[in-house]
Amino acid sequence: MAFPHLQQPSFLLASLKADSINKPFAQQCQDLVKVIEDFPAKELHTIFPWLVESIFGSLDGVLVGWNLRCLQGRVNPVEYSIVMEFLDPGGPMMKLVYKLQAEDYKFDFPVSYLPGPVKASIQECILPDSPLYHNKVQFTPTGGLGLNLALNPFEYYIFFFALSLITQKPLPVSLHVRTSDCAYFILVDRYLSWFLPTEGSVPPPLSSSPGGTSPSPPPRTPAIPFASYGLHHTSLLKRHISHQTSVNADPASHEIWRSETLLQVFVEMWLHHYSLEMYQKMQSPHAKLEVLHYRLSVSSALYSPAQPSLQALHAYQESFTPTEEHVLVVRLLLKHLHAFANSLKPEQASPSAHSHATSPLEEFKRAAVPRFVQQKLYLFLQHCFGHWPLDASFRAVLEMWLSYLQPWRYAPDKQAPGSDSQPRCVSEKWAPFVQENLLMYTKLFVGFLNRALRTDLVSPKHALMVFRVAKVFAQPNLAEMIQKGEQLFLEPELVIPHRQHRLFTAPTFTGSFLSPWPPAVTDASFKVKSHVYSLEGQDCKYTPMFGPEARTLVLRLAQLITQAKHTAKSISDQCAESPAGHSFLSWLGFSSMDTNGSYTANDLDEMGQDSVRKTDEYLEKALEYLRQIFRLSEAQLRQFTLALGTTQDENGKKQLPDCIVGEDGLILTPLGRYQFAGQMAALCSRDDFLGSFCRYHLTEPGLASRHLLSPVGRRQVAGHTRGPRLSLRFLGSYRTLVSLLLAFFVASLFCVGPLPCTLLLTLGYVLYASAMTLLTERGKLHQP
């Protein structure tokens, strides 16, 4: 593409816009590469915002841009190859970023598109606690909704890249896209590997001209030390420049700001979605003091008492809507961060290394997880555990959580994984990580127990999730380290002179944000207490994972697992006993709805008998792992098995289901709600007319077409697992009662008594239900 020398940059932008409509995609990219190479930054800075939006889509989600979240190499290999080459961290687009960076251009980014709590905080005239927003927005006493952040080119590019995962519309359910094969997912992995390398240093910026490199922008210089995720520190670059001469500087020292910015943007955009109240709760004491000073100054200027902006509080009502794609990308981030943090050499990771001159990249590796990720990830997971639908899609959240809990899996010296019978022991060197992430293990485990007790464990997918969690926590020495961490937290605080008046708050770092605590207060107990109180507050009510309350939940789960195993066996036995001949439906010309003899209440129909075997295997191993973790006796487990036989007495008469005594009488337990589920499931699994009749009454065929009204957004629930159940709520309907009264009244006019009328109504309903059953079965057979 030959461009004449243009005096007005707007002509260049107009030409590129026209080409984006008239030229093929490959030709557009070739022209963009030439433009980036030939034109000066003075003219390129005009096209930069348009180009970024053209690639990643608009922030309001209307424009999809290059649709990186659906672009796959196996589907569109040519277009995929062009995009990946253009957006590679060493490719033309990043070269444009560095070219503009050298001239110190700034670009406006609307505050209204930031995550909810950050947006509300800024609009309330409170500077967020993250350094990402320092010196980028100007406040007015009244705040405002039209505020912008002044970002440098690299920040602007990464902001758009990260937010495109959130702002773009969720992928259609009908479009089967594997996230790990998409261009966006691969680019995230490439950017992490480039800017957070596990080996070597961060590559320097690309050359903007032959024989020269783009100079780095001036380092950020916040006026006061900032708190990043609850821990005060100064910028890495500022600290490094002020403490080390440029002659002996590490080549990565002038570029560490890119790594720091990339991680902060990813964390802020992907994990910063929770209530404003929670956001304000997690502000550091220093930030709260600044807010107080600000409010006092505003109130004195206006001669009125300081009042919080309730408008901002009420305006922030948007629900957090994570998708499985979102969670998978966050998991990729966590896995890479573990590898990045654990790539320190033993001599670099030792405490004595802090006193020696180390490169900023090495210090950044130590700080990446605890300083930048831990707090926001904990809130993110806590929100997902409490609001995600009770279906198999929770597996994505579960695996993300388990990946964070096992940093040893991503260490360079990791051993080969052991067999199921002999899993490898967790080294004692990981005890500090376990203790400083205690809530990640204990509170979220209790949260998972509460979820598991409300799911149908006969489903192989749900049984697999229980098995996965139990297997991870049953790794040798892990439960002991968690229990040791709880003991350190629960031990009484000793009154020692140097600890007498201290508060459990994050430390204020005046130099390097990695500066250690004073030697006198480095005890393990204080570190664990600081971790818990920094995340939950000093008034938190801690429920020990190995305490009586959690143990009761574990026993209930073990009981539910035993019940689910019994139900799966009942289904398997019933399927085996089903006659092989033609059923009543086949005699009428219909084939069996379920060819593998499984009932529609859960996903056993996906794999038939093999799924029953898998369910039993998962539950059996999960039960054994729980026994190991919580030291349950064999006698306790046998009691659960024997308890299943108590539903019938010696004369074969059924007893009451499992209940507990409440204030209003007997209350069904989770076990009691499903205690006769085996018989209902067996009836529904029959392939004759009786089975069809039961499925019509005991299952809900229209469930797949509904939407869940959930805080995580509306999503299709095709294949949603739900057990057969008997609902008599319609008998409490005024409409039903009035209809029955009218029927009896009309019958009395024809001298038909209540008993004959009841028999006629029953006979009529049976005929109606039989006809509807046949029509329903025929309709399902003709579905594609």
Side-chain angles (χ1 to χ4, degrees):
M1 180 178 181
F3 285 98
H5 181 70
L6 302 176
Q7 298 296 329
Q8 298 295 330
S10 59
F11 294 150
L12 175 61
L13 178 60
S15 300
L16 291 176
K17 286 183 177 180
D19 291 345
S20 66
I21 300 176
N22 302 320
K23 290 188 176 182
F25 180 75
Q27 185 62 44
Q28 294 177 40
C29 291
Q30 291 179 7
D31 292 345
L32 285 172
V33 172
K34 187 169 180 61
V35 167
I36 293 171
E37 188 70 28
D38 295 344
F39 280 79
K42 181 180 179 180
E43 299 184 19
L44 291 176
H45 90 278
T46 305
I47 71 167
F48 183 66
W50 167 82
L51 181 57
V52 171
E53 186 176 87
S54 299
I55 295 172
F56 300 122
S58 57
L59 294 172
D60 56 10
V62 175
L63 302 178
V64 297
W66 290 2
N67 203 12
L68 302 177
R69 295 163 56 233
C70 295
L71 184 60
Q72 302 177 82
R74 59 183 178 85
V75 179
N76 300 299
V78 176
E79 185 176 349
Y80 175 86
S81 177
I82 293 174
V83 167
M84 298 304 291
E85 182 178 355
F86 187 81
L87 299 180
D88 188 83
M93 188 63 190
M94 198 59 71
K95 185 173 183 178
L96 170 61
V97 170
Y98 296 142
K99 204 169 186 178
L100 298 175
Q101 193 84 35
E103 302 295 332
D104 199 24
Y105 283 106
K106 299 293 182 182
F107 299 91
D108 288 339
F109 185 92
V111 168
S112 59
Y113 290 108
L114 293 174
V118 179
K119 174 180 64 178
S121 179
I122 293 178
Q123 290 174 351
E124 201 181 355
C125 299
I126 301 174
L127 187 65
D129 226 7
S130 171
L132 202 58
Y133 310 104
H134 282 211
N135 300 329
K136 293 181 175 64
V137 60
Q138 298 295 326
F139 291 120
T140 61
T142 58
L145 299 179
L147 299 174
N148 292 318
L149 297 178
L151 305 179
N152 65 45
F154 184 80
E155 292 169 334
Y156 188 83
Y157 177 81
I158 298 300
F159 263 70
F160 262 86
F161 176 75
L163 272 176
S164 63
L165 178 67
I166 309 298
T167 58
Q168 297 298 306
K169 296 179 181 179
L171 300 178
V173 178
S174 58
L175 185 62
H176 300 285
V177 177
R178 186 177 178 182
T179 300
S180 58
D181 293 337
C182 295
Y184 186 87
F185 190 90
I186 303 299
L187 281 172
V188 171
D189 187 47
R190 290 191 183 181
Y191 288 163
L192 290 173
S193 300
W194 183 278
F195 294 108
L196 282 75
T198 55
E199 296 182 1
S201 302
V202 181
L206 303 176
S207 298
S208 59
S209 60
T213 59
S214 301
S216 301
R220 292 193 304 268
T221 55
I224 57 174
F226 55 77
S228 179
Y229 306 85
L231 296 176
H232 294 288
H233 60 82
T234 54
S235 169
L236 278 170
L237 183 59
K238 178 185 177 184
R239 183 208 61 79
H240 185 82
I241 295 299
S242 62
H243 287 77
Q244 192 171 7
T245 61
S246 59
V247 177
N248 299 321
D250 189 317
S253 62
H254 296 290
E255 307 308 328
I256 194 66
W257 66 269
R258 292 180 298 158
S259 304
E260 187 181 350
T261 299
L262 181 85
L263 179 57
Q264 289 187 66
V265 172
F266 282 178
V267 170
E268 286 287 307
M269 301 303 117
W270 295 342
L271 301 181
H272 210 155
H273 299 265
Y274 36 80
S275 69
L276 180 61
E277 292 78 6
M278 181 62 71
Y279 175 78
Q280 292 177 335
K281 175 184 176 182
M282 62 183 285
Q283 297 291 300
S284 68
H286 179 82
K288 292 178 181 177
L289 184 61
E290 291 296 315
V291 171
L292 178 60
H293 287 167
Y294 170 81
R295 294 210 180 282
L296 290 176
S297 64
V298 172
S299 62
S300 61
L302 300 178
Y303 300 98
S304 62
Q307 296 289 337
S309 177
L310 297 180
Q311 181 180 3
L313 287 170
H314 292 300
Y316 178 58
Q317 297 294 334
E318 59 190 39
S319 59
F320 174 31
T321 58
T323 61
E324 291 184 58
E325 179 190 19
H326 180 175
V327 172
L328 289 173
V329 173
V330 173
R331 186 189 181 207
L332 173 65
L333 171 65
L334 297 179
K335 291 167 67 175
H336 184 85
L337 285 177
H338 276 322
F340 177 69
N342 294 325
S343 63
L344 282 171
K345 298 178 181 179
E347 61 272 11
Q348 297 171 338
S350 62
S352 60
H354 290 267
S355 59
H356 301 290
T358 57
S359 72
L361 183 61
E362 294 170 3
E363 296 188 6
F364 186 54
K365 288 181 179 181
R366 297 192 189 96
V369 174
R371 302 297 192 262
F372 289 86
V373 177
Q374 184 195 76
Q375 190 175 45
K376 288 197 173 2
L377 177 64
Y378 173 70
L379 295 173
F380 180 84
L381 285 169
Q382 202 173 23
H383 193 94
C384 288
F385 273 56
H387 295 81
W388 202 276
L390 292 172
D391 58 18
S393 66
F394 186 71
R395 175 76 186 279
V397 178
L398 192 77
E399 294 299 335
M400 174 184 62
W401 173 47
L402 296 180
S403 293
Y404 182 80
L405 298 185
Q406 303 177 85
W408 44 87
R409 292 183 57 190
Y410 312 103
D413 58 343
K414 63 180 180 179
Q415 304 172 358
S419 62
D420 289 341
S421 59
Q422 294 182 346
R424 61 191 181 97
C425 181
V426 179
S427 173
E428 194 64 30
K429 74 176 184 178
W430 297 106
F433 178 87
V434 173
Q435 294 169 6
E436 293 171 14
N437 289 270
L438 187 64
L439 291 176
M440 291 284 195
Y441 291 90
T442 59
K443 186 166 183 178
L444 293 181
F445 181 84
V446 174
F448 174 76
L449 289 178
N450 286 313
R451 285 187 60 94
L453 289 171
R454 293 180 290 156
T455 56
D456 178 16
L457 297 184
V458 179
S459 164
K461 294 178 180 178
H462 292 161
L464 174 60
M465 286 192 279
V466 175
F467 161 74
R468 287 283 297 121
V469 173
K471 182 179 179 181
V472 168
F473 278 82
Q475 295 176 84
N477 200 37
L478 179 58
E480 289 76 9
M481 286 193 290
I482 296 174
Q483 195 165 13
K484 175 63 175 177
E486 289 193 324
Q487 292 171 355
L488 290 172
F489 172 71
L490 296 173
E491 74 176 21
E493 180 70 4
L494 300 179
V495 181
I496 303 176
H498 72 267
R499 299 172 59 179
Q500 190 169 4
H501 301 291
R502 76 181 186 216
L503 294 176
F504 291 101
T505 56
T508 300
F509 294 90
T510 56
S512 169
F513 73 93
L514 293 162
S515 300
W517 287 93
V521 291
T522 56
D523 56 283
S525 175
F526 180 64
K527 288 183 179 179
V528 177
K529 292 175 188 288
S530 298
H531 156 71
V532 174
Y533 292 142
S534 65
L535 295 184
E536 289 288 337
Q538 292 187 257
D539 57 345
C540 71
K541 181 182 178 182
Y542 182 76
T543 302
M545 176 177 163
F546 292 93
E549 296 180 31
R551 189 176 182 85
T552 300
L553 295 177
V554 171
L555 291 175
R556 288 174 56 191
L557 179 60
Q559 195 174 22
L560 194 61
I561 288 174
T562 306
Q563 172 63 43
K565 289 179 57 182
H566 178 76
T567 302
K569 186 177 184 303
S570 299
I571 297 172
S572 179
D573 293 343
Q574 182 64 34
C575 293
E577 294 173 2
S578 297
H582 295 287
S583 64
F584 176 68
L585 282 176
S586 61
W587 182 71
L588 291 176
F590 301 110
S591 61
S592 174
M593 182 188 72
D594 196 353
T595 58
N596 53 22
S598 60
Y599 70 104
T600 59
N602 57 35
D603 54 2
L604 288 176
D605 57 342
E606 294 182 1
M607 295 180 289
Q609 291 293 318
D610 185 56
S611 70
V612 177
R613 179 186 59 80
K614 286 184 176 296
T615 297
D616 187 73
E617 180 181 347
Y618 291 146
L619 295 179
E620 181 68 30
K621 291 183 177 179
L623 200 59
E624 174 60 23
Y625 287 139
L626 290 175
R627 187 190 68 80
Q628 296 175 13
I629 298 169
F630 294 94
R631 301 178 179 89
L632 303 178
S633 65
E634 294 287 351
Q636 287 176 307
L637 297 181
R638 282 197 300 269
Q639 286 179 355
F640 299 145
T641 305
L642 294 175
L644 295 175
T646 62
T647 57
Q648 292 186 346
D649 60 11
E650 296 179 357
N651 298 324
K653 297 181 180 179
K654 294 183 178 179
Q655 306 295 313
L656 287 174
D658 189 63
C659 302
I660 59 175
V661 180
E663 296 180 357
D664 299 324
L666 294 178
I667 301 174
L668 285 173
T669 64
L671 172 63
R673 293 190 183 98
Y674 297 96
Q675 204 156 351
F676 301 125
Q679 290 86 338
M680 296 172 65
L683 286 173
C684 291
S685 67
R686 295 171 64 99
D687 57 359
D688 53 10
F689 178 77
L690 179 59
S692 301
F693 191 81
C694 292
R695 284 193 292 272
Y696 177 77
H697 288 86
L698 300 179
T699 61
E700 196 172 5
L703 185 66
S705 63
R706 296 184 183 179
H707 290 78
L708 285 177
L709 296 178
S710 168
V712 297
R714 297 179 176 179
R715 55 177 70 184
Q716 291 286 347
V717 289
H720 181 71
T721 61
R722 189 167 182 176
R725 76 263 182 266
L726 185 62
S727 177
L728 301 178
R729 292 185 177 182
F730 70 96
L731 293 178
S733 168
Y734 289 114
R735 181 178 180 181
T736 302
L737 295 177
V738 171
S739 299
L740 289 175
L741 290 175
L742 287 176
F744 284 128
F745 175 75
V746 173
S748 66
L749 297 178
F750 293 93
C751 299
V752 178
L755 182 59
C757 180
T758 302
L759 293 176
L760 288 174
L761 290 175
T762 304
L763 179 61
Y765 177 77
V766 170
L767 294 175
Y768 167 80
S770 300
M772 291 301 298
T773 299
L774 296 176
L775 292 175
T776 302
E777 293 295 318
R778 172 174 288 181
K780 290 181 178 179
L781 289 173
H782 289 282
Q783 288 180 356

